[in-house]
Amino acid sequence: MENSLSSARINRTKLEIVQGDITREDVDAIVNAANSSLLGGGGVDGAIHRAAGPQLLAETRQLGGCQTGDAKISGGYNLKARHVIHTVGPVYRPGDTTAPQLLTSAYRRSLEVALENGIRRIAFPCISTGAYGYPSEEAAAIAVQTVCAFVNQQEQITEVHFVVFSEPIYTTYIHMLQRVAATYGHRPA
Ligand code: ADP
C-alpha cells in the first residue's frame, strides 16, 4: 500500500512507513531489535541473523553485548543493507516509568550511531513491540516523535523507513507520522 500519507518530509529527511519484512530493505543500515547479549534471538533479530548469514553472529559475538537503550553497529553480510545497527529496547512492564525513556534512547542512539558511520538511509522495526511486550500504539508515538525530533536537527540522514509487520499498526503509524510531521511544518502532498 502506497499513498501520499505514508511519507512525510522534515528538514532534509524523507520519512516513510513501509509494511513488510525489514530484512529486504535496500538502505544503508537496518536496525535490529536485539537483546543485550547480541547473540541472536527470535522475532526480527532471528530473521535478520538468518538473512545476513553466520558471519553476522561471528561479528556480534565480538561486540561485548549492548545495554538497554544503547546501540552498536556491525556489517550486513548477505543483506542488501551494508550495516546492521543493533539496539536493545526495554522489556515493558506496566507502571514502569523508565520504559519510555529507554525506548526513546534506543531510537536516538541508533540514529547517533548512524551519523557516526556516515549512514544516510536507515530502516527501523517496531522496537520492543514483540517479545518485549511494549503496547504498539505507545511505542509508535515514541518512535515517530523521537525520529522526527532527531532528523530536524541534522543534515546527513536523507531517508528513514519505519517498517511495520502488520496492517493495524501500519495505519497507526500513518496517522502518527502525519500528526507529528505537521508540527514541523510538513503538509501532505
Ligand atoms: P522485541 O524483543 O524488541 O519486542 P521482536 O522481534 O519480538 O522484538 O518484535 C519487534 C517487532 O518486530 C514486532 O512488531 C514484530 O512484529 C516485528 N517483526 C518481526 N519480524 C520482522 C521482520 N522480519 N521485519 C520487520 N518486523 C518484524
Side-chain angles (χ1 to χ4, degrees):
M1 195 197 324
E2 177 69 33
N3 61 47
S4 66
L5 298 178
S6 64
S7 67
R9 180 166 293 277
I10 294 177
N11 192 20
R12 298 283 172 86
T13 312
K14 183 183 183 198
L15 301 138
E16 195 159 0
I17 316 298
V18 177
Q19 191 177 1
D21 178 355
I22 199 168
T23 65
R24 305 173 80 92
E25 284 284 295
D26 191 1
V27 287
D28 300 326
I30 63 171
V31 175
N32 181 14
N35 58 58
S36 57
S37 74
L38 298 187
L39 298 180
V44 72
D45 194 5
I48 289 172
H49 275 271
R50 276 193 300 280
Q55 286 168 290
L56 178 60
L57 181 59
E59 182 176 356
T60 59
R61 275 188 201 288
Q62 311 299 317
L63 296 179
C66 183
Q67 302 222 314
T68 303
D70 199 2
K72 294 197 176 172
I73 192 164
S74 74
Y77 301 99
N78 296 336
L79 295 166
K80 285 185 189 153
R82 219 151 33 87
H83 299 280
V84 179
I85 295 174
H86 307 266
T87 190
V88 184
V91 176
Y92 184 81
R93 293 185 192 84
D96 176 357
T97 54
T98 66
Q101 293 157 31
L102 289 168
L103 188 59
T104 300
S105 177
Y107 280 93
R108 195 182 298 130
R109 285 291 303 136
S110 297
L111 291 163
E112 287 171 358
V113 168
L115 280 189
E116 288 161 11
N117 287 276
I119 285 158
R120 292 178 171 279
R121 302 173 70 238
I122 183 169
F124 282 95
C126 305
I127 300 166
S128 283
T129 62
Y132 282 5
Y134 215 110
S136 291
E137 299 217 350
E138 290 175 40
I142 289 172
V144 172
Q145 284 162 5
T146 304
V147 170
C148 288
F150 190 94
V151 299
N152 193 42
Q153 303 283 330
Q154 59 80 55
E155 310 288 306
Q156 176 183 307
I157 295 170
T158 57
E159 216 168 302
V160 178
H161 296 180
F162 295 97
V163 182
V164 302
F165 222 33
S166 64
E167 178 66 35
I169 199 66
Y170 178 79
T171 309
T172 302
Y173 261 89
I174 291 211
H175 291 148
M176 196 67 69
L177 178 63
Q178 293 305 326
R179 179 146 27 107
V180 175
T183 69
Y184 291 89
H186 172 80
R187 295 287 172 270

